[in-house]
Amino acid sequence: MMRTRPLKVALLGCGVVGSEVARIMTTHADDLAQRIGAPVELAGVAVRRPSKVREGIDPGLVTTDATALVKRGDIDVVVEVIGGIEPARTLITTAFEHGASVVSANKALLAQDGAALHGIAEQHGRDLYYEAAVAGAIPLIRPLRESLAGDKVNRVLGIVNGTTNFILDKMDSTGAGYQEALDEATALGYAEADPTADVEGYDAAAKAAILAGIAFHSRVRLDDVYREGMTEVTASDFASAKNMGCTIKLLAICERAEDGGSVTARVHPAMIPLTHPLASVRGAYNAVFVESDASGQLMFYGPGAGGAPTASAVLGDLVAVCRNRLSGATGPGESAYAALPVSPMGDVVTRYHISLDVADKPGVLAQVATVFAEHGVSIDTVRQQGKDGEASLVVVTHRASDASLSGTVEALRKLDTVRGVASIMRVEGE
């Protein structure tokens, strides 16, 4: 039997995502009520600019006093889509203290303070759900913490930022330079006026921290994630990748160490073979590979950003939280029992593609090979091209640690025959 008294929802933020949440709540009200077992009512909308016309939203629900809204006491669920650290953190904490559960899309806050927020939610017997914080509409967090709860996840590898994937895809498919591809992404609305959070990997790093924490049942904060942006990727890097049968993607990689005693989380550009499914992810789409003991490889693919896709994830969480509210239960909270330490980037082992500018004379290759050998880095292939006294030398290694590769490069720079290190890129997905 359906309960007639509605569950009341407070919406914090009414931008691209928030307005879509409000629209779907209104247009799908009957279906949502049937799925939940009670009607849901938009009880208030906190915004910064109350004079802005918001189609489909009763102006009487709009307020600039977000704190008063979450303190009302009759609010069942607070939906936070304002982003940033403050005032979002304080508002979420206040919502828990006044009896509301929370649905959030705030990756930056969850990557930084997720453990503390989970603790406050548990203290007050409330839910904290955040499917929309990672990969937009793609169901990923719930499969990791519920569907795969009985499995052992060893690796999460994926493209979790649509802006960077659009830019790199354009560079790959058209031969465009980085700036040209970025300008097109901006014109199409895929990139913000200030794209730093995307192109420097901050957005993907926050998502990697959240995914690693859930996948490995350990606390992983944003500061634990190694981050490297993609602004230095060039057309010549793509040419080298194509020579290897690869393309280049900005990847978020979360791994359990082979001995199971630690984890790593990192974001950086990498070459991946064209045969790998992630290589075919085009445009602004996202895709994530999950590798586990029992289920093997799973791939999650779809739109990773945008108002409607992200609102879809928010509404999915809203339905789950409202169902819990009706039953008097709470869903899964933080699972950090494993408490695995996060290893530094120097311990990460992978393959490398190194492009060197060298003098075009006899003995250069032998000198370079000696340096690699002295640092314990095994060479897989070498390609050399020379003209008019200058040459390029491309070395692809077998698997080596980041620390040993860094020592190798430092030693190479000291050779008189090495004019410079043109690029260094990791090779993943093999």
Side-chain angles (χ1 to χ4, degrees):
M1 180 181 296
M2 181 175 295
R3 193 181 82 167
T4 57
R5 184 173 67 82
L7 293 161
K8 295 188 176 183
V9 178
L11 179 61
L12 307 183
C14 198
V16 173
V17 176
S19 60
E20 281 295 311
V21 170
R23 182 188 67 79
I24 296 172
M25 284 185 64
T26 302
T27 58
H28 296 180
D30 291 341
D31 284 341
L32 290 173
Q34 292 295 327
R35 294 167 191 173
I36 291 169
V40 286
E41 173 189 311
L42 188 59
V45 182
V47 300
R48 287 183 296 177
R49 297 187 297 276
S51 59
K52 180 180 177 180
V53 177
R54 294 172 172 86
E55 187 177 348
I57 296 178
D58 180 356
L61 297 178
V62 177
T63 178
T64 58
D65 194 343
T67 301
L69 179 59
V70 299
K71 281 184 174 181
R72 274 177 37 174
D74 65 334
I75 300 296
D76 294 288
V77 184
V78 169
V79 174
E80 183 272 310
V81 288
I82 56 178
I85 305 302
E86 288 291 356
R89 175 170 48 197
T90 298
L91 290 171
I92 290 174
T93 300
T94 303
F96 289 141
E97 293 170 345
H98 287 78
S101 290
V102 173
V103 173
S104 176
N106 196 331
K107 54 188 168 288
L109 177 59
L110 290 160
Q112 178 173 305
D113 291 323
L117 293 176
H118 271 296
I120 298 169
E122 183 177 0
Q123 177 186 345
H124 293 280
R126 294 294 176 251
D127 277 321
L128 174 60
Y129 275 49
Y130 42 91
E131 184 68 64
V134 179
I138 305 172
L140 190 56
I141 290 177
R142 190 172 286 112
L144 280 174
R145 72 178 185 177
E146 295 182 32
S147 303
L148 295 175
D151 206 343
K152 179 184 177 184
V153 175
N154 296 311
R155 195 177 197 222
V156 180
L157 166 75
I159 299 163
V160 295
N161 183 277
T163 300
T164 55
N165 198 60
F166 178 89
I167 293 170
L168 292 173
D169 183 36
K170 279 294 173 182
M171 293 176 70
D172 184 28
S173 60
T174 69
Y178 166 76
Q179 190 60 51
E180 183 183 350
L182 172 59
D183 290 343
E184 183 174 352
T186 304
L188 292 173
Y190 291 128
E192 301 286 347
D194 180 1
T196 303
D198 293 323
V199 300
E200 293 294 352
Y202 292 101
D203 175 86
K207 296 170 181 176
I210 294 169
L211 291 174
I214 296 170
F216 306 132
H217 303 279
S218 302
R219 288 179 176 171
V220 181
R221 300 179 74 252
L222 180 57
D223 292 345
D224 296 322
V225 181
Y226 172 83
R227 178 197 55 78
E228 186 180 315
M230 47 156 280
T231 57
E232 300 301 319
V233 177
T234 65
S236 63
D237 290 327
F238 274 100
S240 294
K242 286 181 179 179
N243 285 333
M244 290 179 58
C246 293
T247 187
I248 299 171
K249 299 291 186 181
L250 185 75
L251 298 179
I253 305 170
C254 311
E255 293 179 308
R256 188 189 299 268
E258 291 185 6
D259 64 5
S262 65
V263 299
T264 59
R266 50 196 166 103
V267 168
H268 53 72
M271 294 182 179
I272 58 171
L274 294 175
T275 53
H276 194 284
L278 289 178
S280 62
V281 178
R282 314 307 293 264
Y285 274 70
N286 285 188
V288 178
F289 252 79
V290 177
E291 300 175 8
S292 64
D293 277 359
S295 57
Q297 291 186 333
L298 304 172
M299 182 173 173
F300 300 83
Y301 170 83
T310 306
S312 171
V314 170
L315 266 295
D317 279 350
L318 179 63
V319 168
V321 170
C322 285
R323 287 171 175 169
N324 292 343
R325 191 82 170 186
L326 288 179
S327 66
T330 56
E334 183 191 31
S335 175
Y337 73 90
L340 296 173
V342 181
S343 296
M345 187 62 187
D347 292 348
V348 171
V349 175
T350 188
R351 297 179 68 205
Y352 289 87
H353 175 283
I354 305 103
S355 180
L356 304 172
D357 295 326
V358 299
D360 186 15
K361 62 182 184 180
V364 173
L365 180 55
Q367 285 184 324
V368 169
T370 298
V371 169
F372 276 88
E374 289 174 346
H375 288 80
V377 179
S378 175
I379 294 176
D380 182 15
T381 62
V382 177
R383 186 175 73 254
Q384 185 173 7
Q385 294 177 322
K387 185 179 180 181
D388 299 329
E390 296 296 328
S392 63
L393 192 65
V394 175
V395 178
V396 179
T397 74
H398 289 291
R399 288 171 59 83
S401 72
D402 188 82
S404 61
L405 196 281
S406 295
T408 303
V409 171
E410 185 177 348
L412 288 170
R413 294 183 194 276
K414 296 177 181 179
L415 293 178
D416 293 338
T417 51
V418 174
R419 309 297 193 216
V421 180
S423 69
I424 304 171
M425 193 165 295
R426 297 168 183 86
V427 182
E428 301 283 351
E430 295 186 314

